[in-house]
Amino acid sequence: MTYLHSMICHTEGIRAVRPPIWRGLDGAVGVYWEATGHTGAQGYYLSPDPRIMIFFNEVSEQIRLTNEESAPAPRYRPMTRALYVPAGVPMWTSFTAMHRFSHLDLHMHSEKLVRMLSPSIGRSTVLSALRHPVEVEASRSTQMLATLLVEELEQPARHPAHAEHLVASIATGLLDFTGSEERASGRLTQAQMNRLNALVASRADCRVSLPDMAACVGLSESWFAFAFKQTTGKTPLQWQMARRLELCQDLLRSTNLSIAQIAAQMGFSDQAHFTKSFRQVVGQTPAAWRRMSAAL
């Protein structure tokens, strides 16, 4: 039986440059879009079913997203080229620059997907994976599978089972099945850490608030702080400070910026604060570390 999906979608400043190509399958609907978004364009999307988005061109510099209503700009994160959005999870997008893009949307029936994947993966593992979002850069194999599926959407040449198995293969490659053990032990999954790394990397000084970090992975602040410490052995503040100081070391090594300039650029209150933090973690003052690095 062909599955029919429903979705709430509101956009401003985004237009299709050609009619979408779509095909209904048993348990899924595939839609291929080519569109353009203007600077400041926005979108809101909410589906009662899980869905996958695969972009065929770079979008991280032009499109940002959040799952929080009325979120301020700093809480938006870069769009990745492969996303899994669980059922009922809203998404808001915003364009920072005009951009033409193409992507494959896969709307899937949850129970059908569970029946397809459970024999090889296990029902409980599949159900757990379906509840957790994934945002990654699409692997070569995922891109190839998505390309093959778009060809089948546009010009069906084989039995529908071929397209349905392509959908299952894309889902198998993208869903976070490896996270079940981590979630059971109170640790963050690799997919969640990837999202945090992308969020922190998007800030010039690597500074992100605890509420923003918790929202990025869909956890409460208290549970996030516990799970983060279980995963990394550090508090979120300690982890961010280590990232900031790594960037400071790069600046000390590769630029002629003064220590005061580096302190200001990386968000320290003053040079004394920078020096104290650097010495506590690295074991030397920034000036001593720069001299040692230059001598090596």
Side-chain angles (χ1 to χ4, degrees), residues 17 32 44 47 62 88 102 142 148-149 220 244 252 258 260 276:
V17 298
Y32 173 70
Y44 167 68
S47 174
Q62 300 86 5
S102 61
T142 298
L148 290 172
L149 182 54
S220 68
R244 291 170 71 193
L252 288 166
S258 69
K276 180 181 179 181

Side-chain angles (χ1 to χ4, degrees), residues 160-220:
H162 174 61
E164 291 158 11
H165 280 87
L166 287 173
V167 172
S169 295
I170 291 171
T172 303
L174 186 58
L175 287 170
D176 181 20
F177 297 116
T178 62
S180 299
E181 180 181 344
E182 286 86 348
R183 288 189 284 269
S185 63
R187 298 194 301 272
L188 298 176
T189 69
Q190 186 58 53
Q192 289 173 316
M193 287 303 301
N194 289 344
R195 293 174 69 180
L196 288 170
N197 280 313
L199 177 63
V200 172
S202 70
R203 309 292 174 86
D205 59 2
C206 292
R207 299 177 72 185
V208 182
S209 69
L210 179 63
D212 286 351
M213 294 180 75
C216 176
V217 295
L219 299 175
S220 68

Side-chain angles (χ1 to χ4, degrees), residues 248 251-252 255-268 270-271 274 290:
C248 290
L251 293 172
L252 288 166
T255 74
N256 293 322
L257 292 173
S258 69
I259 292 173
Q261 288 173 319
I262 293 174
Q265 180 172 320
M266 294 306 299
F268 292 92
D270 53 34
Q271 182 174 333
F274 172 43
R290 172 176 262 176

